[in-house]
Amino acid sequence: MAAATFDRVVDLEFLDRLGEVADVRPGVLEEFSSPAARAALAGTQVLVTGWGCPPLTASVVADAPRLRAVVHTAGTVRDHVTPAVWEAGIGVSSAAAANAVPVAEFTLAVVLLAGKRVLEAAHEFALTRGRPLVRDAGGNLGATVGILSASRVGRRVVDLLRPHDLHVLLHDPYVPDAEVRALGAEPVGLTELFDRSDVLSVHTPLLPETRGLVGAELLARLRDGATVVNTARGAVVDPWALTAELVSGRLHGVLDVTDPEPLPADHPLWDRPNVLLTPHVAGSLGNELRRLTASAADEVGRFAAGQPFAHEVTVTTLEHSA
């Protein structure tokens, strides 16, 4: 992992937990090509990775003949786990489930704020400098929330929405209707999801087939005043189509991710009162990072005990996930 990642994520508690089940090499590898790195790899059975890890290419795998597991302290492994890892039979684990927790919490918060029209109310309140506002629209009682994709985050969002008086729709072509209902949502088709949602929350992983999935036609199906929440990846939503809808004022947006990221300084969305832009803060930050290392430490412990990973990543699961 990058040295900056090591400084942010790795603490003494994590190292102590690893030390209970393994001989831990002190320090951090930022690259795999130097003689020192190759020497370290030669004796490594478990490689703990994080943000900034370079790709585990065939040559890297060849330099690590004892390597049996890669345990990632973050979400997606797409940036560093290559086919050479799978071909060598090396197990892979990810802390994506742990990272889904704060993203889902963030989503719950903004869904409820969207229902209360907080963006609009705050803007008008500032303009009038405190003059009372009388509102007859908005509110969360019986509002419809659409969840696009039953990803780890999407599923957790559905669970967090359960105690509230909301109607939750879910679209995911890979999840049977019975499973969607068991999660606590109503299964619907893609167009129906947009037709019926007051708040539409995107949780689709960015894959070649999902780039631009939410385009102008789907956005146009949202009712006037609906809110689009995106905590997944900006490119899942057509940026031109979304910008047009938000600039017109017809839709509201809460965007923790954009395409590009960040937006150019002169982009019109920076100054829109109906848009909240946040700098990719939904994922693990601060003390939430301990959840990632705790998950990784648990996985290393399972490996040391000869047990299967609780959060294994396989070629098959990676086809439809981040």
Side-chain angles (χ1 to χ4, degrees):
M1 63 185 73
T5 300
F6 184 87
D7 293 339
R8 286 181 61 206
V9 175
V10 176
D11 57 18
L12 290 178
E13 180 181 355
F14 177 51
L15 294 175
D16 287 344
R17 288 195 60 191
L18 293 183
E20 293 174 1
V21 297
D23 294 326
V24 181
R25 179 190 181 277
V28 58
L29 296 179
E30 290 191 88
E31 47 77 32
F32 295 128
S33 59
S34 68
R38 295 177 69 182
L41 285 173
T44 296
Q45 290 179 283
V46 179
L47 187 65
V48 176
T49 62
W51 292 303
C53 180
L56 295 166
T57 61
S59 62
V60 174
V61 172
D63 287 335
R66 299 184 64 201
L67 186 62
R68 294 294 175 267
V70 175
V71 177
H72 194 44
T73 58
T76 183
V77 300
R78 289 180 176 274
D79 295 331
H80 66 290
V81 173
T82 70
V85 174
W86 313 114
E87 292 166 5
I90 297 168
V92 179
S93 171
S94 163
N99 194 49
V101 175
V103 181
E105 292 171 345
F106 178 95
T107 303
L108 170 66
V110 298
V111 165
L112 295 177
L113 289 175
K116 297 288 285 186
R117 304 285 191 183
V118 168
L119 278 178
E120 182 182 354
H123 177 68
E124 293 181 14
F125 197 46
L127 288 178
T128 61
R129 292 300 187 267
R131 190 172 69 225
L133 301 173
V134 177
R135 293 200 168 278
D136 297 319
N140 285 308
L141 179 61
T144 299
V145 180
I147 305 297
L148 182 57
S149 298
S151 62
R152 295 179 185 88
V153 177
R155 289 167 183 262
R156 194 168 188 94
V157 170
V158 172
D159 189 54
L160 292 179
L161 291 171
R162 193 188 304 269
H164 304 277
D165 292 319
L166 299 163
H167 188 71
V168 181
L169 311 176
L170 174 61
H171 171 75
D172 192 312
Y174 301 104
V175 180
D177 287 358
E179 185 176 345
V180 172
R181 294 189 183 94
L183 290 171
E186 178 188 346
V188 293
L190 185 59
T191 56
E192 185 178 356
L193 183 76
F194 284 76
D195 287 341
R196 295 174 56 189
S197 293
D198 297 302
V199 180
L200 188 285
S201 191
V202 179
H203 300 289
T204 305
L206 181 59
L207 306 170
E209 60 269 29
T210 63
R211 182 175 292 273
L213 172 67
V214 180
E217 182 177 343
L218 286 175
L219 290 171
R221 302 185 79 101
L222 289 169
R223 60 192 63 177
D224 291 354
T227 299
V228 177
V229 178
N230 192 358
T231 57
R233 287 293 183 268
V236 173
V237 183
D238 182 323
W240 301 104
L242 180 61
T243 296
E245 289 281 15
L246 295 176
V247 168
S248 75
R250 194 182 76 81
L251 298 179
H252 298 253
V254 179
L255 310 177
D256 191 49
V257 291
T258 56
D259 182 29
E261 188 176 353
L263 294 174
D266 61 350
H267 198 281
L269 293 188
W270 286 114
D271 300 317
R272 293 300 306 172
N274 57 319
V275 179
L276 175 63
L277 297 175
T278 54
H280 213 135
V281 297
S284 298
L285 294 174
N287 56 28
E288 295 165 339
L289 296 171
R290 295 202 300 268
R291 194 182 279 121
L292 304 182
T293 53
S295 174
D298 289 343
E299 293 291 69
V300 174
R302 291 186 183 95
F303 175 85
Q307 300 171 354
F309 286 138
H311 304 290
E312 183 180 16
V313 181
T314 67
V315 174
T316 301
T317 58
L318 203 57
E319 289 178 355
H320 304 298
S321 63

